[in-house]
Amino acid sequence: MSYDMFCYQCEQTAGGKGCTKIGVCGKTPEIAGLQDLLIYQLKGISFYVKKLIERGEKIDKAIVSFVENSLFTTLTNVNFDADVHVQLLKHSQEIKEKVRNMVGSCSDIPQAASYNLSDTKEDMLKDAKQAGIMFDQSLDPDIRSLRQTILYGLKGISAYGHQARELGYYSDQIDEFYFRGLEATTNDKLTVQDLITMTMRTGEMSVAVIQKLDEANTTIYKNPVPQKVNINVKKGPFIIVSGHDLKDLEMILEQTEGKGINIYTHGEMLPCHGYPELKKYKHLVGNFGGAWQDQQKEFDSIPGCIVMTTNCLMKPRESYKDRIFSTNVVGWDGVKHIKKNIDGKKDFSEVINKALELGGFAEDQTPKEILVGFGHHATLSYAGKIVDAVKSGKLRHFFLIGGCDGARPGRNYYTEFAKRVPKDCIILTLACGKYRFNKLDFGELDGLPRLLDIGQCNDAYSAVKIALALADAFDTDINSLPLSIILSWYEQKAVADLLALLSLNVKGIYLGPVLPAFLSPTVLQYLVDNFCLTPISTPEKDLESCLEQDVK
């Protein structure tokens, strides 16, 4: 069964308008259709659950987890396994029928709520047409734009919420918002202004969820500390752990201790080296490779194993398909998946045995180190020194250069920008966008490293906390600080991060490499008028504009 897909949720969408034949990410029309229908089901469930919330009824956390994980499953580069999607769809119908019966009769039911799932995958794909983004051609483009922005923000929130929940942390407020936000995307009574309000509310919930995840990570694994990380390889068997999930890394470290296996982080796992409760494992020896989009080349025929814990999975080449494993919501047809046991733990013995069988790297490379671990706790321990450096004129400006990386031509903008930052300025960075420049030597400024790696994409909270603390120190607000934010985006977690910053009234953000295709001209103009959101131009011009603000 063929499905006429349309997807524009990521930055690399075809032609900057939308993928219609196959996703640039590798998503097939079949997967696109099943994902569209799964989101449609979640919207239908949310219509009923919102009514239960308004009655004051407590919502089963199993339903929350299902919605959260299903949203996360449809995020870019997460799951490409059709069977997984069919099972999720069948479960969604069971939940829908349950909450529908709990609500009883009601009026103004949207089609997503009244729809009942078909029995076969072929019929599901036929039904998926009505769930498509562009199905209702008469829908106001600004309404569609805002509905999609809310949805993509929710997808980003779900990724962070999933990580926090895996560690036993969650928020009832955020849990309820999944349903309120999804219901808003089906409610024809809501105006453009109503949806703008809901979009900003999505940003507030993004702040709340990254704060909750920070609490989980720093409570369980302690506050990150500055740590040098080897980016070259060591002799011996190895496992590369990619994604974002600290708990999975911890389980792998525990199960490989004393077995002669080296553990490397990859991609967004790099910041894990700064957490005391993870870096204590001596066989956590370094970081392998660069950002997610280089994985096919970097993993090609390597003599070791890879575990993908969250998003950023690309189509595995045959040369390593037998040695890459997925877990959590990640999946690809034919890739071995590591599930939870009844006790909630995971058995990585198959990965371990495969790594030992492959034998690993034949010899050590000369060590080369980079510095990580400058979360809000570590960075603010230097607050007094930073304030003195600013007041004395030694430190002129801060640049937060970070976000999602990607393969689109033009992303060398971020490398060039970082290289051009004057030596009397400090660069803060986070997420995989850092790989564009984090192996360069920026030196020091008054005893401080000029490049401070704050952490993962979810550590946007660290950046905000640092900025707020500095604003307090200078008795001003964030927008009056000598601080510029140069943001790169790729997928929906970056959407959540951007909405988080906007909800905090952070203005003057430079966004690139291109603007989101799902922003209508009117919605984009609103962001420009109210938040001075600026598309990137050239490193020279944008850098000059940022530094001009200090003169004013």
Side-chain angles (χ1 to χ4, degrees):
M1 172 65 195
S2 176
Y3 177 70
D4 295 327
M5 71 177 289
F6 180 86
C7 181
Y8 59 4
Q9 69 178 4
C10 86
E11 177 266 334
Q12 289 184 175
T13 194
K17 296 180 180 179
C19 293
T20 57
K21 303 297 183 184
I22 190 167
V24 173
C25 65
K27 180 166 61 176
T28 63
E30 179 184 66
I31 295 298
L34 295 174
Q35 290 191 350
D36 285 349
L37 193 59
L38 181 56
I39 292 296
Y40 196 63
Q41 283 284 81
L42 299 184
K43 291 177 179 180
I45 289 169
S46 297
F47 169 79
Y48 295 113
V49 173
K50 181 171 178 278
K51 290 192 175 297
L52 295 174
I53 292 171
E54 289 171 344
R55 289 182 188 175
E57 296 187 32
K58 199 166 185 178
I59 306 305
D60 185 347
K61 292 298 182 185
I63 296 177
V64 176
S65 292
F66 175 81
V67 170
E68 184 174 73
N69 288 341
S70 295
L71 282 167
F72 192 7
T73 299
T74 68
L75 191 143
T76 302
N77 288 97
V78 174
N79 197 297
F80 302 81
D81 191 324
D83 290 342
V84 169
H85 287 85
V86 170
Q87 290 304 312
L88 288 171
L89 280 161
K90 289 179 177 179
H91 192 188
S92 74
Q93 184 61 29
E94 294 171 3
I95 292 174
K96 182 189 277 187
E97 290 172 2
K98 178 181 177 180
V99 295
R100 181 190 284 156
N101 290 334
M102 291 172 67
V103 170
S105 61
C106 55
S107 58
D108 297 325
I109 302 175
Q111 288 183 330
S114 60
Y115 166 76
N116 289 312
L117 186 72
S118 295
D119 293 330
T120 67
K121 181 171 73 173
E122 183 176 10
D123 286 338
M124 290 177 193
L125 287 169
K126 289 179 182 177
D127 295 346
K129 182 178 180 181
Q130 65 187 297
I133 296 169
M134 296 297 179
F135 176 67
D136 183 359
Q137 292 292 315
S138 66
L139 186 64
D140 182 288
D142 298 329
I143 295 288
R144 178 183 285 111
S145 176
L146 289 164
R147 285 180 175 181
Q148 294 305 122
T149 303
I150 292 165
L151 173 61
Y152 300 150
L154 286 168
K155 288 189 180 190
I157 290 170
S158 75
Y160 299 145
H162 166 88
Q163 286 177 256
R165 201 177 305 274
E166 287 295 300
L167 295 172
Y169 286 72
Y170 61 87
S171 159
D172 290 338
Q173 183 185 38
I174 298 165
D175 289 353
E176 287 190 3
F177 187 74
Y178 286 130
F179 304 105
R180 294 184 185 277
L182 284 166
E183 187 276 338
T185 66
T186 70
N187 192 333
D188 291 333
K189 294 180 180 178
L190 299 183
T191 64
V192 166
Q193 187 55 55
D194 292 331
L195 290 172
I196 287 174
T197 300
M198 182 59 74
T199 302
M200 291 300 104
R201 183 66 174 152
T202 306
E204 292 171 11
M205 289 300 101
S206 183
V207 174
V209 77
I210 56 180
Q211 185 173 2
K212 182 58 65 176
L213 180 53
D214 177 83
E215 179 189 353
N217 287 338
T218 57
T219 300
I220 295 174
Y221 302 110
K222 310 308 178 189
N223 281 296
V225 296
Q227 174 72 26
K228 290 182 178 179
V229 181
N230 184 20
I231 56 174
N232 284 339
V233 302
K234 293 176 68 69
K235 179 181 178 180
F238 65 90
I239 298 171
I240 296 167
V241 185
S242 189
H244 304 75
D245 199 289
L246 275 59
K247 186 175 182 179
D248 283 319
L249 175 60
E250 180 186 35
M251 284 189 281
I252 291 170
L253 287 167
E254 289 173 345
Q255 293 177 36
T256 52
E257 193 167 25
K259 289 184 167 63
I261 297 176
N262 293 323
I263 305 299
Y264 298 91
T265 55
H266 173 264
E268 282 271 58
M269 295 297 279
L270 170 62
C272 293
H273 291 270
Y275 287 92
E277 291 302 306
L278 295 174
K279 76 185 190 73
K280 70 182 182 182
Y281 291 94
K282 302 303 180 186
H283 61 302
L284 179 61
V285 297
N287 188 74
F288 180 86
W292 67 272
Q293 76 274 3
D294 297 326
Q295 66 188 260
Q296 290 173 319
K297 175 180 65 178
E298 292 175 345
F299 294 166
D300 195 27
S301 300
I302 58 172
C305 293
I306 310 109
V307 178
M308 302 297 297
T309 67
T310 55
N311 59 308
C312 302
L313 173 66
M314 297 179 74
K315 181 181 181 179
R317 290 181 178 176
E318 290 302 318
S319 63
Y320 63 87
K321 197 172 182 180
D322 67 332
R323 60 199 67 184
I324 187 169
F325 298 79
S326 63
T327 190
N328 296 321
V329 300
V330 187
W332 193 286
D333 183 35
V335 168
K336 179 69 178 181
H337 189 76
I338 307 297
K339 295 182 179 180
K340 281 184 182 179
N341 298 327
I342 297 175
D343 61 2
K345 296 184 179 180
K346 299 176 185 178
D347 181 1
F348 289 97
S349 58
E350 186 172 351
V351 186
I352 292 168
N353 293 336
K354 185 69 174 179
L356 291 169
E357 174 194 326
L358 291 166
F361 295 116
E363 58 185 29
D364 291 343
Q365 292 180 338
T366 303
K368 180 180 179 181
E369 295 179 325
I370 58 175
L371 191 61
V372 303
F374 285 92
H376 56 82
H377 185 268
T379 300
L380 291 177
S381 69
Y382 295 99
K385 192 168 189 175
I386 291 171
V387 171
D388 289 344
V390 172
K391 288 182 176 179
S392 67
K394 294 178 181 177
L395 173 52
R396 181 173 24 157
H397 202 90
F398 297 92
F399 290 92
L400 174 59
I401 311 173
C404 306
D405 202 6
R408 182 190 291 271
R411 282 183 177 266
N412 60 324
Y413 165 96
Y414 298 94
T415 310
E416 293 305 313
F417 192 105
K419 285 180 177 179
R420 291 174 181 274
V421 168
K423 294 188 182 299
D424 59 354
C425 302
I426 281 179
I427 300 170
L428 307 171
T429 191
L430 51 78
C432 62
K434 76 184 72 165
Y435 283 103
R436 289 282 165 176
F437 49 81
N438 71 334
K439 294 173 184 176
L440 302 176
D441 184 5
F442 289 93
E444 294 187 344
L445 191 162
D446 200 27
L448 292 169
R450 285 191 57 239
L451 179 67
L452 302 179
D453 186 342
I454 297 173
Q456 296 182 344
C457 47
N458 53 275
D459 289 311
Y461 174 70
S462 269
V464 169
K465 195 162 184 177
I466 291 166
L468 288 172
L470 291 175
D472 284 343
F474 289 106
D475 193 25
T476 187
D477 58 51
I478 288 181
N479 294 314
S480 299
L481 285 173
L483 167 68
S484 298
I485 299 176
I486 317 298
L487 190 66
S488 58
W489 84 282
Y490 174 72
E491 38 84 317
Q492 297 80 67
K493 285 185 290 182
V495 176
D497 291 345
L498 175 63
L499 294 180
L501 293 170
L502 298 183
S503 76
L504 293 168
N505 199 34
V506 176
K507 297 182 178 180
I509 297 170
Y510 287 78
L511 182 66
V514 297
L515 293 173
F518 53 83
L519 291 181
S520 69
T522 302
V523 172
L524 176 59
Q525 193 60 49
Y526 174 86
L527 296 176
V528 170
D529 292 344
N530 288 273
F531 299 102
C532 302
L533 188 69
T534 305
I536 62 170
S537 58
T538 66
E540 302 91 331
K541 182 179 177 182
D542 293 344
L543 181 60
E544 182 181 359
S545 296
C546 292
L547 294 174
E548 279 178 356
Q549 299 301 315
D550 298 339
V551 177
K552 294 176 182 178

